[in-house]
Amino acid sequence: MTKTIVTGGAGFIGSHTCVELLAAGLEPVLVDDLRNSDERVLRGLAEITGRQPVLHRIDCGDADALDRVFAAERPGSVIHFAADKAVGESVQHPVKYYHNNIGSLVTLLRVMDTHRVKDLVFSSSCTVYGNSGQLPVTEESATGEAASPYGYTKVVCERLLRDASAADASLRAVLLRYFNPVGAHPSALIGELPIGVPNNLVPFITQAAAGLRDKLTVFGNDYHTRDGSCIRDYIHVVDLAKAHVLALQWIAKQKAPVCEVFNLGTGEGNTVLEAVRTFEEVSGVKVPYVIGPRRAGDVPAMYADTAKSLKVLGWRTQLTLADALRDAWRWQLALAK
């Protein structure tokens, strides 16, 4: 099997992508210090795939440690997930986000160059579009006016990859701009595992429904949307994971250097309150919530135009928001066992 280094491979999206890599005949090698994950994810991966995942428990910002991993594993490609990812936290701790998110990519590119590994799939974000005046946003929509430090780290990382590709004709990179990943593996063996208080909507919904949180706070109900709450493009994490496999396969077919960007979303937007109501419908459980003030860094509405992903990668979503929320609730119940 061809080996793929997966930084942040024990995280939410990384772990689901490892499942899909193995299903496609590729061998993921996880690089993760488990600061935002847990060893139970590794047990879940082993049970789903029938294989014990290879994990190097290091910080991918540690150049010497990462160099040793590349020397030992001799990978053919890299998927780079490892990053701090909470919009609200990034507003409170911007230095942490700039240091980790940008610095780790710089380190990774240097190590890749040393070991002549030239194929990279990068985990970007729709936050690069900022408060876009165009909906749905396309890959040609303006970027650079991100509304949070987290979003701007992705802007800088994307620029870094474009500059690196221009300087190194052998570097082949795909930048995947995620919209809002939600859900869990249908087996309920892996899923989103927030450490401490969740920063993302769906785990907060499931924890509030399970009685682990007093209530969910919906940040703002005075936006110019259908019900006043923010609109987001919620994509099932399994659909998202499959896109990474297609991106790697597409890179392998390219005869010339590339640095290509793709949106990954459903192409539809749902409000926060619609997500709450959909969860209640699929779970049969009421979610206690209150309306709070707007949150710094949030944009009113964001959803994707995914025509390019379909045309070039042959990728489209297969699962619905209801599927994602049903799987997320099944995962929450499994955690309680």
Side-chain angles (χ1 to χ4, degrees):
M1 285 187 181
T2 302
K3 291 183 179 180
T4 299
I5 294 287
V6 184
T7 71
F12 176 40
I13 305 170
S15 59
H16 288 80
T17 300
C18 287
V19 171
E20 300 303 328
L21 288 168
L22 282 165
L26 301 169
E27 183 174 354
V29 176
L30 285 65
V31 172
D32 200 309
D33 60 8
L34 301 186
R35 72 170 104 165
N36 290 316
S37 188
D38 189 283
E39 290 189 0
R40 80 185 78 180
V41 173
L42 305 178
R43 296 193 293 271
L45 283 173
E47 191 167 345
I48 292 168
T49 66
R51 297 185 55 183
Q52 187 63 41
V54 175
L55 170 69
H56 294 271
R57 190 169 180 175
I58 65 166
D59 183 339
C60 72
D62 183 335
D64 291 339
L66 193 60
D67 182 76
R68 290 191 292 271
V69 171
F70 272 68
E73 299 291 350
R74 302 176 64 84
S77 57
V78 178
I79 303 177
H80 184 47
F81 292 107
D84 292 317
K85 61 178 185 177
V87 168
E89 184 189 42
S90 77
V91 174
Q92 298 171 340
H93 303 287
V95 174
K96 171 187 176 185
Y97 274 69
Y98 284 108
H99 178 266
N100 185 54
N101 293 8
I102 300 170
S104 65
L105 179 58
V106 171
T107 298
L108 175 63
L109 287 172
R110 285 175 168 168
V111 173
M112 286 176 62
D113 185 59
T114 297
H115 293 272
R116 297 180 173 83
V117 178
K118 297 301 182 180
D119 290 358
L120 173 66
V121 175
F122 176 68
S123 168
S124 192
S125 166
C126 66
T127 55
V128 301
Y129 295 116
N131 189 2
S132 178
Q134 173 188 350
L135 290 173
V137 292
T138 74
E139 289 83 355
E140 302 303 317
S141 298
T143 64
E145 296 299 325
S148 68
Y150 164 73
Y152 200 67
T153 66
K154 295 298 186 182
V155 172
V156 174
C157 286
E158 286 196 3
R159 176 60 187 265
L160 169 58
L161 287 170
R162 284 193 292 271
D163 290 345
S165 296
D168 179 357
S170 63
L171 180 62
R172 302 190 295 184
V174 167
L175 287 54
L176 299 179
R177 292 175 179 164
Y178 310 160
F179 280 67
N180 290 77
V182 293
H185 194 269
S187 67
L189 291 168
I190 57 174
E192 191 165 5
L193 193 64
I195 306 300
V197 179
N199 288 301
N200 295 332
L201 174 65
V202 171
F204 216 116
I205 287 176
T206 61
Q207 289 189 12
L212 301 178
R213 304 286 167 193
D214 289 339
K215 56 186 174 295
L216 165 73
T217 299
V218 175
F219 295 107
N221 67 342
D222 58 351
Y223 291 100
H224 294 297
T225 61
R226 290 186 292 273
D227 56 25
S229 62
C230 289
I231 291 176
R232 295 292 182 265
D233 188 338
Y234 298 103
I235 175 175
H236 198 300
V237 66
V238 171
D239 279 332
L240 186 62
K242 290 177 178 178
H244 293 77
V245 177
L246 292 173
L248 277 183
Q249 293 170 338
W250 180 79
I251 286 177
K253 296 175 184 176
Q254 303 311 301
K255 305 301 183 184
V258 293
C259 185
E260 202 67 54
V261 176
F262 296 96
N263 283 340
L264 297 182
T266 66
E268 298 179 356
N270 289 99
T271 70
V272 171
L273 290 173
E274 286 170 349
V276 171
R277 288 193 290 272
T278 301
F279 173 82
E280 292 177 338
E281 290 169 5
V282 300
S283 69
V285 180
K286 296 293 290 183
V287 178
Y289 72 87
V290 297
I291 304 297
R294 295 186 181 191
R295 182 173 58 179
D298 279 343
V299 300
M302 183 68 65
Y303 55 96
D305 182 313
T306 59
K308 182 180 178 182
S309 295
L310 175 60
K311 180 179 179 181
V312 179
L313 300 180
W315 175 87
R316 70 171 70 193
T317 57
Q318 302 293 324
L319 301 166
T320 66
L321 176 58
D323 294 327
L325 293 171
R326 188 180 297 110
D327 288 338
W329 181 234
R330 191 180 294 118
W331 164 244
Q332 181 67 60
L333 294 176
L335 288 174
K337 294 180 181 178

